[in-house]
Amino acid sequence: MTGQNPNPPAEPTPNPAQQEPAQQQAEPTPAAQPTAPAADPAPAAEPAAQPAAPGTTMSVHKHQREMAKVEAERDAAKAEAEGYKKLEAEFAQWKADQEQAKTEAALKEAGCHDVVAASARLKEFDGDVAKLKEAAPYLFASSDKSKSTGGNPKGTPDPEDERTKKMRALMGIDTEME
């Protein structure tokens, strides 16, 4: 140790010998005083500083320990706040994913061919799939069965149709077994 007092007093105590001349100067001479009642000279002088009560002062080392403890608590609170911010962002992402999945399910249920394009256009109609289907029917499967793309809807053709039979007969090929 350096020999310093770890608990210095809050204020130095004044020397009583130094206070006496100051008090003497503050008091007027008896001849100059009027006949008014004499005032107490003690309030005019500054009161002597009382030494600090035991246990009210703090050592430098204890103060440093207390400050380190408070700073550690502050850092822990900041870390906890960062964790909450990350959780909040994660929850917002999860919520957005749930909304997107719900929208995709509604579009697929309505018979949508291109879910990505329909999702982008769905914002224009405030999420109403029926309005989107009405405005952009090309994104959805047609429920009208009267339209045809051509071809034979019956399935595969019979290999021995009338035309094939006529050609075989002209060539003299008889494939029928009796």
Side-chain angles (χ1 to χ4, degrees), residues 6-91:
N7 293 330
E11 291 182 12
T13 56
N15 188 355
Q18 292 175 349
Q19 282 185 353
E20 288 178 19
Q23 287 178 355
Q24 290 173 357
Q25 290 175 357
E27 292 180 26
T29 59
Q33 283 187 0
T35 58
D40 187 20
E46 209 173 287
Q50 297 292 329
T56 58
T57 61
M58 184 183 293
S59 71
V60 173
H61 300 293
K62 185 175 180 182
H63 176 70
Q64 289 172 347
R65 283 193 309 267
E66 292 291 323
M67 289 304 295
K69 186 184 202 183
V70 168
E71 288 173 359
E73 289 174 359
R74 181 195 65 205
D75 293 342
K78 281 184 180 179
E80 187 176 358
E82 288 296 319
Y84 285 135
K85 286 179 184 176
K86 287 178 184 176
L87 282 175
E88 185 178 11
E90 190 176 311
F91 179 70

Side-chain angles (χ1 to χ4, degrees), residues 151-164:
N152 189 359
K154 297 177 188 173
T156 59
D158 185 20
E160 293 292 326
D161 61 353
E162 289 296 320
R163 192 168 136 202
T164 307

